[in-house]
Amino acid sequence: MVPDAAAFQEVDADWWRRAVIYQVYLRSFADGNGDGIGDLAGLRSRLPYLADLGVDALWLNPWYPSPMADGGYDVADYRDIDPAFGTLTEAEALIAEAHELGLRMVIDLVPNHTSDRHAWFREALGAGPGSAARDRYVFRDGRGDDGELPPNNWRSVFGGPAWTRVLEEDGRPGQWYLHLFAPEQPDLNWDNPKVREEFESVLRFWFDRGIDGVRIDVAHSLVKAPGLPDLSPEDLEVTGSAANTDHPHWDRDEVHEIYRSWRRVADAYAHKPVFVAEAWTGSPERLARYVREDELHTAFNFDYLTCPWRPANLRRVIDASLDALGGVGAPATWVLSNHDVVRHLSRFARPQPDHPLRALADLSPGDHPADIDLGTRRARAAALLMLALPGGAYVYQGEELGLWEVEDLPEDVLQDPIWARSEHTDRGRDGCRVPLPWSGCSAPFGYSPEGTPTSPWLPQPEEWKSLTAQAQEGDAQSMLALYRRALRIRRAHSGLRGAGMTWYSSPESEVLSFGRAPGFRCVVNFSEAAVALPEESRVLLASGPLTDGLLPTDTAVWLAE
């Protein structure tokens, strides 16, 4: 075990209840060896930047050996590091160095499916129907006279059917296997005890190396209904989450026993690793079931992520989240962007709908051109709103720089499987995964070492030269300065440590105003006119300029009362 892993727990056993966690999409964060792909060497070189930013922990997207059919979420070996990123020895050094800087480490785990290159799946293909090896996955005979039709009507999140037929050893078409995502990502059979034993062993492997937490990819998807019944017409319209409480493969009640067993594994460690659920559910009440006292610790708040920039919508989501999660003793979490959705600056740069954005397709840019100045103003205000709320928060790499979605990537560079699976109608998620700009006036903007002959794996827009970390250094009005100051105040102010908040505005108001005791207040103006700030208050931080005690539209302010 990394020697100081348990020391963190002794200092603050409840760190996860209010932590700000920075998401590192490793492939796009920093390239240390000059091959155009982000890696552990690049991340290690930038750890001081992250510590100075003021976050509490890092969450890394999958770093395991993978063919990269889905950006690393097709895992070939859960106990090693992909050579493109580095080595297991480097990963252990990263954990130790992060701990020395006061940063905890959270890694991604992908339990719903493996890569089709995983040793288990290769064995299953050769073993044939009815074998123990195939029972680790979801293999079924097809429908129709010759089994030529898929076993049911389930759909892949990435488009098309969720089933692929294999050729058996004799060369004839045989069984079908389930993949709720890409065909290269066969679903595991969580009714098989061997699968459950394997993942508990994987957890121990990483906890033994001092990992402080695990983010669980599509945590709501592991268990499938007996008999694999067809989807209803209502459920066919929804991919990625459940339209009802008895969906055949999303958010089934049986999944919770798996997480109770995982919690027992984590609680046996002195440093008490934590779990974060990526669970798309139909309501905050369903989400709260994942974070009951004996299950997972926290869960991503997708209702908040998909909420439009409208005060009434935001207040409803905030209240519903705090009520539902508080009812089981869990903290809420807040997130504006991640590696799967259009960056929030670009979402806020367009007219805002009345309804929540529930699917990836709803988050696409659409027909309205982005007003980057408007989006930036709203993104600054959204950062202060999010970081003022009780609970934890997530910062997706680059949002602290004010990066927008890259919407004009050439078609020949797109790599997200959604692009191909949608028959080139959905550009996928590459636009939010463009490598970060660190320094300099031209690409690769310090992402790769100087003089590197290889370009970044996705091209960066030239307009980002004004948004590099170097360009913003020393600029008190920059997005980077705003995040640094907000995170420092969040750590220091006693009013931002508790779990409660009190609204000072009405639900119908175009101004969101709330307080947290002792002595903290946040005000966000959504109206078209400037509004007066509360009297007898002192400004701690504002997302934009204030004039004569007035708060402009799309601006947030933190006050000391």
Side-chain angles (χ1 to χ4, degrees), residues 493 518-522 535-541 558-561:
H493 200 295
F520 177 86
R521 187 165 181 173
C522 178
E535 296 181 0
E536 298 181 359
S537 59
R538 175 171 56 88
V539 174
L540 296 172
L541 183 61
W558 286 1
L559 303 170
E561 296 184 311

Side-chain angles (χ1 to χ4, degrees), residues 525-555:
N525 182 18
F526 295 80
S527 67
E528 295 183 1
V531 298
L533 295 176
E535 296 181 0
E536 298 181 359
S537 59
R538 175 171 56 88
V539 174
L540 296 172
L541 183 61
S543 66
L546 308 178
T547 305
D548 299 327
L550 296 178
L551 185 67
T553 184
D554 290 320
T555 305

Side-chain angles (χ1 to χ4, degrees), residues 196-234:
R196 301 194 181 207
E197 292 170 7
E198 170 66 4
F199 276 86
E200 290 187 11
S201 174
V202 168
L203 290 174
R204 293 187 182 96
F205 179 88
W206 291 108
F207 293 160
D208 287 345
R209 282 156 179 78
I211 284 296
D212 301 287
V214 169
R215 177 260 193 189
I216 306 167
D217 183 59
V218 285
H220 60 302
S221 66
L222 307 191
V223 176
K224 281 69 176 178
L228 309 183
D230 277 347
L231 290 168
S232 67
E234 179 185 23

Side-chain angles (χ1 to χ4, degrees), residues 145-372:
D145 293 339
D146 297 311
E148 71 278 8
L149 301 176
N152 62 29
N153 68 347
W154 293 5
R155 307 293 295 173
S156 164
V157 172
F158 292 161
W163 295 92
T164 290
R165 198 175 192 186
V166 302
L167 292 177
E168 302 296 355
E169 288 287 281
D170 59 7
R172 292 185 296 177
Q175 289 190 306
W176 299 73
Y177 68 88
L178 176 68
H179 51 87
L180 292 180
F181 294 87
E184 295 88 353
Q185 296 169 292
D187 277 42
L188 288 160
N189 172 21
W190 276 86
D191 291 329
N192 188 320
K194 296 296 183 183
V195 172
R196 301 194 181 207
E197 292 170 7
E198 170 66 4
F199 276 86
E200 290 187 11
S201 174
V202 168
L203 290 174
R204 293 187 182 96
F205 179 88
W206 291 108
F207 293 160
D208 287 345
R209 282 156 179 78
I211 284 296
D212 301 287
V214 169
R215 177 260 193 189
I216 306 167
D217 183 59
V218 285
H220 60 302
S221 66
L222 307 191
V223 176
K224 281 69 176 178
L228 309 183
D230 277 347
L231 290 168
S232 67
E234 179 185 23
D235 285 320
L236 277 171
E237 298 300 317
V238 180
T239 58
S241 61
N244 61 65
T245 57
D246 191 30
H247 193 283
H249 62 73
W250 295 136
D251 189 28
R252 295 194 58 79
D253 291 343
E254 299 91 334
V255 77
H256 296 286
E257 180 50 42
I258 296 170
Y259 298 136
R260 292 188 187 98
S261 69
W262 286 19
R263 181 62 178 265
R264 290 191 290 270
V265 171
D267 284 349
Y269 283 79
H271 67 292
K272 301 293 188 235
V274 302
F275 292 108
V276 182
E278 184 208 26
W280 292 83
T281 64
S283 69
E285 291 73 23
R286 294 292 297 184
L287 183 65
R289 293 164 60 85
Y290 288 81
V291 290
R292 289 175 287 194
E293 186 176 1
D294 61 342
E295 293 190 43
L296 308 178
H297 297 77
T298 64
F300 285 126
N301 191 337
F302 290 115
D303 286 343
Y304 191 78
L305 184 152
T306 59
C307 188
W309 185 247
R310 290 179 174 270
N313 300 65
L314 285 162
R315 178 161 177 168
R316 282 196 297 270
V317 169
I318 292 167
D319 284 342
S321 301
L322 293 174
D323 288 347
L325 296 168
V328 295
T333 64
W334 316 101
V335 59
L336 293 168
S337 285
N338 65 32
H339 65 292
D340 280 335
V341 300
V342 171
R343 285 186 177 273
H344 65 274
L345 189 150
S346 293
R347 301 199 313 268
F348 294 160
R350 293 177 161 86
Q352 297 297 285
D354 291 321
H355 58 81
L357 304 165
R358 286 300 299 169
L360 292 179
D362 294 329
L363 297 176
S364 61
D367 297 327
H368 296 280
D371 182 339
I372 296 300

Side-chain angles (χ1 to χ4, degrees), residues 50-81:
L50 296 170
D52 184 60
L53 182 61
V55 296
D56 301 294
L58 310 181
W59 155 38
L60 273 64
N61 290 96
W63 55 3
Y64 315 102
S66 168
M68 297 293 167
D70 182 25
Y73 283 89
D74 47 320
V75 179
D77 183 352
Y78 291 88
R79 294 178 178 84
D80 205 351
I81 302 297

